[in-house]
Amino acid sequence: MKLTLHIWRQKDSNSEGRMVKYEHTKVNPHMSFLEMLDVLNEELIANGDEPVAFDHDCREGICGMCGFMINGVAHGPERGTTVCQLHMRHFKDGDVLYLEPWRAKAFPPVRDLVVDRSAFDRIISAGGYVSVPTGSAPDGNVIPVPKKNADLAMDAAACIGCGACVAACPNAAAALFTGAKISHLNLLPQGQPERHQRALNMVAQVKHELFGSCTNIGECEAVCPKEIKLEVIARMNRDYLRASWTERGDAIRIEE
Ligand code: SF4
Ligand code: FES
């Protein structure tokens, strides 16, 4: 297969970036998208050119390191699929592809297709953990968890922190990511003691990191490789409202 690739090249965050065109003639349909770029990079290195920088680690869809836009779609055309799990058989001989990094003020460029997503780490540091002393690992089923909550928490915990939701959102909002991280702890018994403080702190950090506000567009859910549902945003908003009203001493009743 042959592909025409237009790839965003940018030396560092202080340099101007631009699209550079490459004719890639050694694409095998069995390659993953990242393997296709590996082959391109081998050619570039052999010719004395700089290889294209892109983030990756597990290449199994579980670590959240990979991700860029392919023809304007975060992680490319296959739903529920990270770019490392996307295979070239989903493309046609002669296709023209435009590869760009995530674009969001909170994700400054590092190089080529790599952006700095440490804003997500700081959101997790603000409350994405359970800080009570827990001792050694308890036996399974010692703490009963309602089946419905266990399932919903597990679904939310599937978020791999890739940032596609932010890149796809016209507001560059981090609501799906933050909602997933808040939900997966706030649905479990272990998450209850810090439930309200967690919502307040993590949402405050989101604002501090210059992410935009959610206006319920839903692009995030459409591109999320782990198919995290918009409900996590509603759950985050309910917990945040409950926490702020409780802080102010207002009497409240919000349905779960
Ligand atoms: S919610 Fe989905 S798109 Fe957003 S960071 Fe998590 S896995 Fe990636
Ligand atoms: S490289 Fe780990 S999810 Fe893609």
Side-chain angles (χ1 to χ4, degrees):
M1 278 170 73
K2 290 182 192 166
L3 292 178
T4 302
L5 301 173
H6 295 265
I7 306 180
W8 183 258
R9 303 303 310 263
Q10 185 170 355
K11 193 161 174 278
D12 53 44
S13 57
N14 297 319
S15 309
E16 289 266 308
R18 68 194 172 98
M19 296 302 270
V20 177
K21 184 177 173 186
Y22 299 95
E23 298 296 343
H24 194 335
T25 56
K26 295 181 181 164
V27 182
N28 182 309
H30 301 300
M31 288 174 176
S32 72
F33 206 93
L34 299 190
E35 285 165 348
M36 180 276 290
L37 287 181
D38 290 339
V39 173
L40 175 73
N41 277 344
E42 280 168 11
E43 289 215 332
L44 291 176
I45 292 167
N47 293 334
D49 295 328
E50 279 292 319
V52 177
F54 58 89
D55 258 331
H56 61 102
D57 191 2
C58 70
R59 298 199 179 205
E60 293 180 352
I62 53 175
C63 76
M65 279 305 288
C66 67
F68 44 79
M69 308 297 269
I70 303 173
N71 287 353
V73 180
H75 287 296
E78 285 298 296
R79 284 194 81 130
T81 307
T82 53
V83 76
C84 63
Q85 290 282 286
L86 177 65
H87 284 81
M88 299 317 297
R89 59 179 170 268
H90 297 296
F91 298 89
K92 293 192 304 296
D93 186 38
D95 271 356
V96 179
L97 304 179
Y98 290 79
L99 313 188
E100 296 174 82
W102 294 163
R103 296 197 188 278
K105 201 167 196 169
F107 289 163
V110 174
R111 187 182 179 90
D112 299 338
L113 302 176
V114 180
V115 296
D116 178 354
R117 286 169 289 173
S118 54
F120 271 10
D121 298 334
R122 292 187 290 275
I123 294 171
I124 296 291
S125 301
Y129 50 82
V130 171
S131 65
V132 290
T134 53
S136 55
D139 289 339
N141 302 324
V142 164
I143 303 173
V145 183
K147 171 82 170 95
K148 186 176 163 220
N149 284 7
D151 288 347
L152 289 172
M154 192 64 132
D155 290 347
C159 168
I160 54 175
C162 63
C165 46
V166 175
C169 175
N171 307 323
L176 198 70
F177 164 79
T178 313
K181 296 303 175 192
I182 288 177
S183 288
H184 108 246
L185 292 172
N186 283 8
L187 280 159
L188 295 174
Q190 296 92 329
Q192 298 314 305
E194 295 163 298
R195 177 174 179 170
H196 288 168
Q197 204 54 47
R198 174 176 300 113
L200 287 176
N201 292 354
M202 290 179 78
V203 171
Q205 190 65 33
V206 170
K207 287 186 192 156
H208 182 72
E209 298 290 349
L210 300 178
F211 288 105
S213 298
C214 173
T215 49
N216 290 323
I217 290 172
E219 287 289 322
C220 52
E221 185 186 72
V223 300
C224 174
K226 296 297 150 187
E227 302 186 309
I228 302 289
K229 298 281 173 277
L230 287 176
E231 283 95 64
V232 298
I233 299 177
R235 193 171 298 111
M236 168 179 71
N237 289 342
R238 281 197 295 270
D239 278 358
Y240 181 79
L241 270 182
R242 239 189 234 112
S244 3
W245 291 354
T246 308
E247 246 191 2
R248 285 186 352 209
D250 292 355
I252 51 159
R253 179 177 164 73
I254 302 174
E255 297 302 325
E256 287 286 343

